[in-house]
Amino acid sequence: MSKVLASTPTGKVIKEYLDSYEITQKELSQRTGISEKHLSHVLNGTSRLTEETALKLEKVLTGVPASYWLNYETKYREAVAREQSPAYSADSKELQLIAKRFKFNEVFKDFGWSLQKQADQMLSLLQISDFSQFERVYATMGVSCMQDGGTLEAIAIWLNLCREEVEVQNEHLENQYNEVLLKTLLPKLKVIANTSDAPASLTEARELLNQAGIYLVIHEPISQAKIRGALSTYKKHPAIYLSLRFKTHDHAWFALMHEIGHLVLHYSKKEPIITLDIENGIQDEKEQAANHFAQTFLNPLLHSVGRQLQIER
């Protein structure tokens, strides 16, 4: 049999098998009980191959299971739909406005893509099918963003860029989140926080957090996203995101311990984004508690570590 692609109609592949088995279309109709007219539509790709037809083919073209035909038909129909589905459709002026609003120059600056392709990729990043759905999907973050935290678009983009980095920056986590283990690791985290090598300290922190079933992602901030960190959930595991906005050791560790404070005190898998640590953001009781947790953890270290220890990216 020749190699076929998913864009090749399923019927054409069936014809190749018929030739190999030396069975004519008329004989196939007789052997399966499928009318020649309907069979012709299936073989020409104008009718979808059904489960019933696939099971009948399995009986005649022995050695080829019905699942093969059904899987191929699914891939073929997807390929056809993808070819017929146009790239994000908007006129040049609208695309320019969307590009500015959703930071295309920052997110896609090194890719050399057309604005249309950038628009398609941004939709995939935000996990929406049209930009008109953005406010509806991300409205729950709006209250925090109104408190001088930047724009909703920038924060949503940053959060999703972090999400895409989870499996790049972390080991695959076999174990579920273990709060008891996390608490036993806090003294080790304190020792690591007191080292002078800031980047290495965060790498070691990630390794310890991974042991407790926690992801840690560090991703540079997006302009107009005045966000230091967030606590989210990724594949049923807590995920801590840090921006390192101020590029100093003490700020980095305060942001990390702030999110660990939320994790210990407030975490729930039911909320995809449990908290956003936004500069000048809302300081409700949970934020104050997380700040207190971080301050208590780091207080003996803040003066000895010092702000002069720059974080290199």
Side-chain angles (χ1 to χ4, degrees), residues 172-212:
H172 175 69
L173 303 187
E174 298 290 346
N175 299 325
Q176 292 299 309
Y177 167 51
N178 189 325
E179 183 178 345
V180 174
L181 178 57
L182 173 61
K183 289 179 178 178
T184 65
L185 293 175
L186 289 177
K188 292 184 179 180
L189 286 170
K190 184 168 288 192
V191 172
I192 294 171
N194 203 25
T195 62
S196 59
D197 188 338
S201 72
L202 292 172
T203 298
E204 289 185 62
R206 179 185 286 116
E207 292 171 356
L208 285 180
L209 292 173
N210 284 177
Q211 292 176 24

Side-chain angles (χ1 to χ4, degrees), residues 142-148 276-288 291:
V143 175
S144 296
C145 298
M146 288 169 62
Q147 301 298 315
D148 196 27
L276 298 173
D277 181 16
I278 294 175
E279 180 186 357
N280 299 324
I282 298 174
Q283 291 293 311
D284 59 14
E285 291 184 6
K286 288 184 178 181
E287 288 300 305
Q288 292 173 18
N291 280 338

Side-chain angles (χ1 to χ4, degrees), residues 83-250:
E83 288 175 4
Q84 293 175 348
S85 178
Y88 182 76
S89 179
D91 60 36
S92 177
K93 185 176 180 180
E94 183 181 352
L95 272 175
Q96 291 287 348
L97 291 173
I98 290 171
K100 183 177 180 180
R101 179 185 174 193
F102 289 94
K103 314 291 181 186
F104 286 10
N105 284 341
E106 288 187 61
V107 180
F108 307 118
K109 59 184 176 183
D110 298 322
F111 291 90
W113 291 340
S114 68
L115 280 184
Q116 234 177 19
K117 175 147 188 189
Q118 291 179 61
D120 279 336
Q121 292 300 313
M122 181 55 70
L123 289 171
S124 295
L125 176 68
L126 296 171
Q127 297 182 311
I128 54 178
S129 62
D130 190 275
F131 289 106
S132 63
Q133 296 153 351
F134 175 79
E135 285 84 358
R136 189 182 309 114
V137 173
Y138 290 94
T140 55
M141 295 193 306
V143 175
S144 296
C145 298
M146 288 169 62
Q147 301 298 315
D148 196 27
T151 67
L152 181 60
E153 290 84 355
I155 291 177
I157 290 168
W158 182 79
L159 287 170
N160 282 290
L161 287 171
C162 288
R163 172 182 53 79
E164 289 202 335
E165 281 286 309
V166 170
E167 294 185 26
V168 175
Q169 296 189 22
N170 293 265
E171 297 292 333
H172 175 69
L173 303 187
E174 298 290 346
N175 299 325
Q176 292 299 309
Y177 167 51
N178 189 325
E179 183 178 345
V180 174
L181 178 57
L182 173 61
K183 289 179 178 178
T184 65
L185 293 175
L186 289 177
K188 292 184 179 180
L189 286 170
K190 184 168 288 192
V191 172
I192 294 171
N194 203 25
T195 62
S196 59
D197 188 338
S201 72
L202 292 172
T203 298
E204 289 185 62
R206 179 185 286 116
E207 292 171 356
L208 285 180
L209 292 173
N210 284 177
Q211 292 176 24
I214 306 161
Y215 290 114
L216 173 62
V217 172
I218 297 172
H219 195 289
E220 63 186 5
I222 295 290
S223 64
Q224 295 184 301
K226 300 177 182 180
I227 183 168
R228 292 171 293 204
L231 176 61
S232 185
T233 298
Y234 181 85
K235 293 185 177 180
K236 300 182 180 179
H237 290 272
I240 294 173
Y241 303 153
L242 301 180
S243 70
L244 305 186
R245 263 174 58 78
F246 299 103
K247 303 184 184 180
T248 61
H249 192 130
D250 53 345

Side-chain angles (χ1 to χ4, degrees), residues 62-81:
T62 55
V64 186
S67 59
Y68 172 81
W69 298 118
L70 293 171
N71 289 336
Y72 190 92
E73 177 73 5
T74 298
K75 291 179 181 179
Y76 167 66
R77 295 297 171 182
E78 179 186 345
V80 170

